[in-house]
Amino acid sequence: MLPKKQLPACPVETTLMLIGDKWKVLILRDLRGGTKRFGELKKSVADISQKVLTANLRDMEESGLLTRTVFPEVPPRVEYTLTELGESMSPILDAMEIWGQQFQQKVQLSDTQSI
């Protein structure tokens, strides 16, 4: 978790600091359904490189949004799960989904009206 002195004064900026990257939002979206392995996240978050996924997962773990569990197996199995803090971002993602659906409908409606 970040120390208080590193947090911006603006709450919106604080939220953006945690999930402002498009990859982090998509990772949160996919982990809302439950625990996922690295490979599952790699497949579900289209076009993300392994390096970028790893960096984002580490950053989100440091921020307290998810937990990383390593199982001592061969080959090693690593799973990621949202923490309570990560799950508390669900209303934000819900609002983004609703807004996105409404925007898509408006765009589709305007496309059909211009024909």
Side-chain angles (χ1 to χ4, degrees):
M1 190 97 48
L2 296 170
K4 184 179 177 182
K5 65 181 179 183
Q6 290 182 354
L7 295 177
C10 173
V12 173
E13 189 177 347
T14 299
T15 305
L16 286 174
M17 182 183 73
L18 293 172
I19 63 165
D21 182 290
K22 85 171 188 178
W23 301 120
K24 290 178 183 172
V25 173
L26 297 177
I27 292 166
L28 282 172
R29 173 203 66 190
D30 291 346
L31 287 176
R32 287 173 72 189
T35 299
K36 299 251 188 289
R37 294 177 69 173
F38 184 88
E40 292 174 304
L41 287 169
K42 176 86 173 76
K43 287 178 187 173
S44 65
V45 181
D47 300 327
I48 191 170
S49 71
Q50 183 168 331
K51 180 180 177 179
V52 171
L53 178 58
T54 299
N56 277 280
L57 289 168
R58 284 183 182 154
D59 190 41
M60 293 171 74
E61 182 181 15
E62 288 174 18
S63 299
L65 297 175
L66 57 84
T67 57
R68 177 179 185 261
T69 305
V70 180
F71 296 89
E73 302 171 351
V74 177
R77 178 170 49 117
V78 180
E79 294 182 343
Y80 297 90
T81 307
L82 289 180
T83 61
E84 190 175 323
L85 181 63
E87 288 178 10
S88 73
M89 297 192 108
S90 283
I92 296 167
L93 296 176
D94 290 340
M96 291 173 71
E97 181 179 9
I98 291 167
W99 188 91
Q101 289 171 344
Q102 291 171 348
F103 180 78
Q104 288 173 338
Q105 290 171 355
K106 284 182 183 183
V107 168
Q108 290 170 352
L109 183 61
S110 68
D111 285 347
T112 60
Q113 290 176 351
S114 63
I115 294 176

